[in-house]
Amino acid sequence: MTQDTLSPAPASPIDKPSAGRAIKDKLATVAVWTAFGIAIIPLVWILYTVVDRGANLLFDPHWWTNSQRGIVARVAGGGAYHAIIGTLLQAAVTAIIAVPIAVFTAIYLVEYGRGKLARTVSFMVDILTGIPSIVAALFIYAVWVTTFGLERVGFAVCLALVLLMIPVVVRSTEEMLKLVPNELREASYALGVPKWKTIFKIVLPTSFSGIVTGVLLGLARIMGETAPLLILGPYSKSINTDLFGGFMAALPTMINQDRVESYDPALNRVWAAALTLIVLVMVLNIAGRVIARRSKVSR
């Protein structure tokens, strides 16, 4: 071999970035980290404030076992058991109604949807995504109370929350289903497996963790909504587990009830209720991620 053959090839301009590109890369990196820092400051500030002002009551056993029945604003004591039960019941019923509708809608849009009907369904989901919570509450009020003459109860709140949860779960599930490789579907079809069984045995288990994440995002949104509760589910200081009878407490309405008071016991309960809501959402997210990890399809 000649000396020319053994000599290394000259470095291309791509291998040696110019000084201008290096400077731009550094500036972009600094800008991204700066934006991240600016965005994280309010989050850390809020969490610190809520924990600092509301953590004391959460360590009191009575907070998790007692209601506010008979407790006035100027008196310390009582707990948030009635509001925690109400929040969890309403969230559970909302999820039972909304999740199947949302998942089947996403399956239709990804696996079957073609033509005008699919475009109409997708358009309606987009509309629901942008609807304010108070509009959903007023719609259910017009149907439930004005049209049918029924009382304002916890189940009416669930119906309003369903309208808010469905689009979140539909869009997240839709994206997760699209991430499933088409090769898996084609392999199943090649073995003679029907399409519906392929969806429920292959596609859904493969995207299960992402679907769970979407459901948790939807739950996190509805558990903090206030407008449907104020319009359809008036606050009660007593424990009520009947979604079809009587007023029912929830953590957002408990916060709203005491926030207008100027007494320290009431304000302390406001911060503690806010922290309780954050803790519940965090526990649901952790539990969902554990379930999703254990339910992954083995490869």
Side-chain angles (χ1 to χ4, degrees), residues 215-287:
V215 171
L216 293 175
L217 288 174
L219 282 174
R221 180 190 177 186
I222 65 168
M223 288 177 69
E225 289 291 349
T226 306
L229 294 167
L230 294 177
I231 296 174
L232 298 167
Y235 177 72
S236 171
K237 290 187 176 183
S238 301
I239 299 172
N240 179 20
T241 58
D242 185 4
L243 288 168
F244 294 92
F247 295 165
M248 177 176 286
L251 288 170
T253 46
M254 181 179 177
I255 296 170
N256 182 74
Q257 178 74 16
D258 287 335
R259 69 177 177 81
V260 296
E261 302 292 344
S262 58
Y263 300 103
D264 287 339
L267 296 178
N268 291 336
R269 288 192 288 267
V270 168
W271 290 107
L275 182 58
T276 303
L277 184 59
I278 293 174
V279 170
L280 289 180
V281 173
M282 183 181 66
V283 169
L284 284 176
N285 276 273
I286 294 174

Side-chain angles (χ1 to χ4, degrees), residues 57 60 62-64 66-69 71 75-80 269:
L57 286 178
D60 184 356
H62 297 294
W63 179 258
W64 303 96
N66 292 359
S67 68
Q68 288 293 308
R69 185 175 183 178
I71 304 296
V75 176
R269 288 192 288 267

Side-chain angles (χ1 to χ4, degrees), residues 45-65:
W45 192 358
I46 292 172
L47 287 177
Y48 172 78
T49 304
V50 174
V51 172
D52 180 58
R53 300 191 180 185
N56 290 334
L57 286 178
L58 265 67
F59 291 104
D60 184 356
H62 297 294
W63 179 258
W64 303 96
T65 57

Side-chain angles (χ1 to χ4, degrees), residues 111 177 180 185 198-208:
E111 304 292 340
L177 295 178
V180 178
R185 296 179 177 88
T198 299
I199 293 171
F200 284 96
K201 294 292 187 179
I202 304 296
V203 178
L204 287 179
T206 304
S207 57
F208 181 76

